[in-house]
Amino acid sequence: MNQKPQLTFWQIWNMCFGFLGIQFGFALQNANVSRIFQTLGASMDDIPVLWIAAPLTGLIVQPIVGYLSDRTWTGFGRRRPYFLLGVVLATLALLAMPNSPSLWIAAGMLWVLDASLNISMEPFRALVGDQLPVRQRPTGYAMQSFFIGVGSVVASLLPFLLAHWGVANTAGPGEVPDTVRYAFYFGGVVLLVAVLWTILRTREYPPEQLKAWDQAPPLVQRHSDPRAAWRPALAWLAVGLVAIALVAGFGLDKQLYILAGLIASYGAALLVRTQVTGGGAFSSILDDLRDMPTAMRRLAVVQFFSWFGLFAMWLFATAAVTGVHFGSSDTTSAAYNEGANWVGVLFAAYNGFAALAAVVIPWMVRHWGLRVSHLLNCALGGAGLLSMLVIRDPIWLLASMVGVGFAWASILSLPYALLSDSVPAAKMGVFMGIFNFFIVIPQLVAASLLGFLLKTFFGNEPIQALMIGGVSLVVAGLCVLRVREPGAELTEGEAA
């Protein structure tokens, strides 16, 4: 066959089912880690810095796993060995996380948990590109969004449900409540079973078959000699070092060191690349980052604003809702813990709406195309976050989550579909890992910048972070209009 065959509904279902477990782990992390940190004594100023482990881990792990899996072929497959390694480590981390005896051990466990989940998640994105023809990839990514929504609903609701069933929802100072502890235990079991299902029920095409089916245009090498790129490398490094000096010299918020360090690190990496003559993961990843397709470059801007908005919600939703809608910031009080559980309900709600949106989005794409559909969904998400500033009844926050759910489902599927025909089969894994840069970088920027912005301009009120996030989602939707629809003819600039 000269074209990749279409898969049946149940083959796509089995291929994506593992995402149910992966998102179960991520949802428990997103909804409860700030609560664990505060319980173990973290101040509001410390939370963004403590959360830095999660996006930084993804930044490092995903492109490396993608690079390695592109070059792996065993009797067990190409991507599936990484599924297995990641799920075993993540399950152990979920069991250990709520038993952390101190704040810094909890921060370390977050690092381990996020790294392990990323080891499994990155090959799942590449697997859709490997297994499905271009016309079925939107369906594959929408199926992943469906499982993400379903898994997150259950995971986010678990502490609330356990409290309703009589499990203790409060604990002494420095102790994580049993509702959170048992939720993490259950999540470890679900994660392991779901990913094993995909491993056992999915078969992979060998690399030579994927190469024969590949229809992506060849990559354009933008610089023939990487050693000649020392000037931009020094420029990035200089900007980062100057920023570090300014933060230190003017006594600015310490979280800004993260952003400045990220800029300096990128410049240092480029500078090292100019001195490396051989191949290997480091050189290959940096060269592919330089030579990535035009569609990915434009989608990078879309992803930046999308994930900046989402991370603002994940970081500050608990503090915002408990403080504004439940009137308490005391982590030992019944009001705070009731509000924190309600945030879990809200997170479950937006993921439930995302599961429904995953069914609606293919219809939207057929009628309006990928770009307009993503614009509409991001605008709905922005409106949902902005509405939380004016709603005071916690029950009505469920209405806000409708828009957030549509944005979430769209962010998890349509950017990948927009990218689908631009990535060569032999580099599917590494480019999906590089694409993750534009998910991780906005999270790092949010972790370093949001606390400073709130303290400097918004009276340190967490609810204002949701306003910033809402505006960011709207900007993301507008930026997607610059991206070419798959199948459309390349312009002269895009082909060059």
Side-chain angles (χ1 to χ4, degrees):
M1 293 182 292
N2 58 7
Q3 290 187 347
K4 191 179 296 182
Q6 294 192 64
L7 299 188
T8 66
F9 173 85
W10 290 112
Q11 286 174 316
I12 298 174
W13 174 283
N14 291 334
M15 181 179 66
C16 297
F17 188 74
F19 239 113
L20 175 74
I22 290 174
Q23 193 58 32
F24 216 98
F26 275 122
L28 286 171
Q29 172 182 296
N30 292 338
N32 295 284
V33 165
S34 288
R35 179 180 183 178
I36 292 173
F37 286 163
Q38 286 185 282
T39 298
L40 295 174
S43 68
M44 185 56 57
D45 292 342
D46 291 331
I47 286 178
V49 175
L50 292 168
W51 261 98
I52 199 66
L56 186 59
T57 303
L59 184 71
I60 297 170
V61 169
Q62 286 216 22
I64 294 175
V65 170
Y67 172 86
L68 294 174
S69 66
D70 283 341
R71 288 158 174 77
T72 296
W73 181 251
T74 68
F76 196 44
R78 188 185 198 187
R79 314 295 181 186
R80 288 179 294 161
Y82 299 91
F83 294 167
L84 183 61
L85 173 62
V87 74
V88 170
L89 294 175
T91 299
L92 295 174
L94 280 171
L95 298 179
M97 179 78 185
N99 295 300
S100 300
S102 67
L103 177 61
W104 291 108
I105 291 178
M109 289 310 307
L110 173 61
W111 197 296
V112 174
L113 174 59
D114 204 84
S116 304
L117 290 171
N118 273 288
I119 289 172
S120 285
M121 185 182 74
E122 197 283 334
F124 265 97
R125 294 298 193 190
L127 186 67
V128 170
D130 290 343
Q131 300 293 100
L132 296 178
V134 170
R135 60 184 175 275
Q136 278 196 309
R137 287 175 189 170
T139 302
Y141 290 122
M143 183 75 77
Q144 287 186 348
S145 294
F146 173 78
F147 282 124
I148 288 170
V150 172
S152 296
V153 167
V154 181
S156 298
L157 275 174
L158 270 180
F160 177 83
L161 293 174
L162 290 171
H164 181 72
W165 294 332
V167 178
N169 191 44
T170 58
E175 295 183 6
V176 176
D178 285 344
T179 50
V180 176
R181 196 186 311 273
Y182 295 155
F184 273 66
Y185 298 161
F186 183 72
V189 175
V190 172
L191 171 64
L192 183 63
V193 171
V195 176
L196 285 177
W197 178 274
T198 289
I199 290 173
L200 296 174
R201 303 289 293 180
T202 301
R203 296 295 178 265
E204 298 184 67
Y205 296 120
E208 58 271 15
Q209 184 63 74
L210 293 175
K211 182 178 180 180
W213 284 328
D214 193 12
Q215 297 177 339
L219 295 176
V220 177
Q221 191 171 16
R222 301 179 187 275
H223 301 285
S224 58
D225 185 2
R227 292 172 294 180
W230 60 270
R231 288 179 179 171
L234 287 177
W236 281 101
L237 180 60
V239 170
L241 293 176
V242 169
I244 291 172
L246 290 174
V247 174
F250 290 94
L252 301 177
D253 195 301
K254 62 183 179 181
Q255 295 167 23
L256 293 176
Y257 281 119
I258 301 170
L259 181 57
L262 180 65
I263 296 170
S265 298
Y266 178 61
L270 290 178
L271 195 60
V272 171
R273 175 65 186 99
T274 64
Q275 304 303 311
V276 175
T277 56
F282 176 78
S283 298
S284 178
I285 291 169
L286 281 180
D287 290 349
D288 288 334
L289 176 62
R290 177 199 64 205
D291 296 332
M292 60 184 171
T294 299
M296 185 180 288
R297 290 176 178 273
R298 294 181 178 179
L299 282 166
V301 181
V302 178
Q303 294 290 81
F304 178 89
F305 286 107
S306 299
W307 288 90
F308 187 91
L310 291 171
F311 207 61
M313 178 183 68
W314 292 332
L315 273 177
F316 290 100
T318 297
V321 172
T322 55
V324 173
H325 300 89
F326 286 82
S328 177
S329 58
D330 179 4
T331 60
T332 63
S333 69
Y336 174 89
N337 284 284
E338 182 184 358
N341 279 353
W342 187 246
V343 172
V345 174
L346 295 177
F347 280 22
Y350 87 70
N351 281 287
F353 293 130
L356 297 176
V359 178
V360 175
I361 284 174
W363 177 89
M364 297 176 68
V365 171
R366 286 194 298 272
H367 285 77
W368 300 316
L370 290 165
R371 298 187 307 166
V372 173
S373 297
H374 196 53
L375 167 61
L376 293 174
N377 290 325
C378 286
L380 286 172
L385 288 184
L386 291 171
S387 70
M388 296 178 73
L389 277 73
V390 296
I391 293 173
R392 287 298 176 263
D393 185 343
I395 297 295
W396 280 101
L397 292 177
L398 290 169
S400 303
M401 295 299 104
V402 175
V404 175
F406 269 79
W408 178 230
S410 193
I411 290 166
L412 292 171
S413 57
L414 296 192
Y416 296 93
L418 283 163
L419 186 64
S420 62
D421 66 342
S422 300
V423 177
K427 290 180 174 287
M428 186 67 69
V430 71
F431 271 116
M432 288 299 172
I434 290 172
F435 200 46
N436 186 61
F437 284 178
F438 311 116
I439 297 174
V440 171
I441 289 172
Q443 295 182 29
L444 291 169
V445 172
S448 61
L449 196 59
L450 275 173
F452 170 77
L453 292 176
L454 291 183
K455 183 183 296 184
T456 305
F457 300 107
F458 298 104
N460 211 22
E461 296 181 8
I463 193 71
Q464 298 301 325
L466 304 185
M467 181 272 292
I468 297 171
V471 172
S472 186
L473 286 176
V474 173
V475 173
L478 294 172
C479 289
V480 80
L481 297 177
R482 298 181 61 246
V483 182
R484 179 180 62 88
E485 290 268 349
E489 291 187 8
L490 291 171
T491 65
E492 183 178 346
E494 289 172 326

